[in-house]
Amino acid sequence: MNTGNRYENLARQVSAIGAVKRGLARTLPAECPGGSAIVLALLNHHGDMRMGRVSELMAVDMSVSSRHVAHTVDRGWVERLPDPADRRSRILHLTPAGESMLAVLDRRLTDVLARTLAEWSDDDVELLTTLLARLRDSFGDCRAHHA
């Protein structure tokens, strides 16, 4: 196989990841759509942050992230606290209810992956995990190039 075909085949498979993402999104509870789930995961992973940082990490416009954050605030999963460094700004903070919803999301995702990949060997799942992490690392922080 020549190099061109190898990367063409890879490009087709990477493009098909959208179907996997849509399948995973269907496992989310109706009250917590994908954008809200991402906000919860970001706050859990990175800690309290301003809205601008959420937009940056999601690689979306502030208007888009604002809608997702508003949804999480309305549900009591996130609260807006005064920023001690600048009282005019707000810091987003994951609440205990948000942590509970995140636990539900994690459990659903883990369950669907376990069911879907039940026929895979442990070695294959580990290899996929390693290769996906390596692929992500090869692209670096693509959020910095999003415009």
Side-chain angles (χ1 to χ4, degrees):
M1 173 188 306
N2 71 37
T3 303
N5 286 340
R6 176 176 57 194
Y7 292 113
E8 288 170 10
N9 291 334
L10 177 59
R12 278 191 287 282
Q13 293 307 315
V14 169
S15 294
I17 294 281
V20 173
K21 288 175 67 175
R22 287 187 297 278
L24 293 173
R26 284 191 288 274
T27 69
L28 297 175
E31 70 272 16
C32 189
S36 296
I38 292 169
V39 169
L40 297 178
L42 289 174
L43 288 170
N44 185 61
H45 182 75
H46 296 282
D48 297 355
M49 66 183 78
R50 288 183 177 181
M51 178 66 72
R53 180 74 174 137
V54 172
S55 295
E56 179 184 322
L57 291 170
M58 291 180 76
V60 297
D61 186 73
M62 185 80 84
S63 64
V64 174
S65 63
S66 292
R67 282 194 307 273
H68 297 310
V69 167
H71 185 268
T72 64
V73 170
D74 291 346
R75 305 277 173 311
W77 301 329
V78 171
E79 59 187 346
R80 293 182 175 111
L81 303 174
D83 183 345
D86 179 357
R87 289 291 203 196
R88 297 167 298 174
S89 296
R90 296 282 177 239
I91 295 289
L92 302 173
H93 174 76
L94 188 64
T95 66
E99 291 172 357
S100 294
M101 175 52 68
L102 200 53
V104 168
L105 298 174
D106 287 345
R107 191 170 42 255
R108 284 181 178 223
L109 180 59
T110 300
D111 289 349
V112 75
L113 287 171
R115 280 193 313 274
T116 304
L117 304 179
E119 302 297 318
W120 290 40
S121 72
D122 289 346
D123 287 344
D124 283 348
V125 173
E126 187 174 329
L127 178 61
L128 176 63
T129 303
T130 299
L131 291 175
L132 286 173
R134 185 174 169 192
L135 177 66
R136 174 71 172 102
D137 288 346
S138 293
F139 277 88
D141 188 359
C142 26
R143 292 179 303 260
H145 306 295
H146 182 77

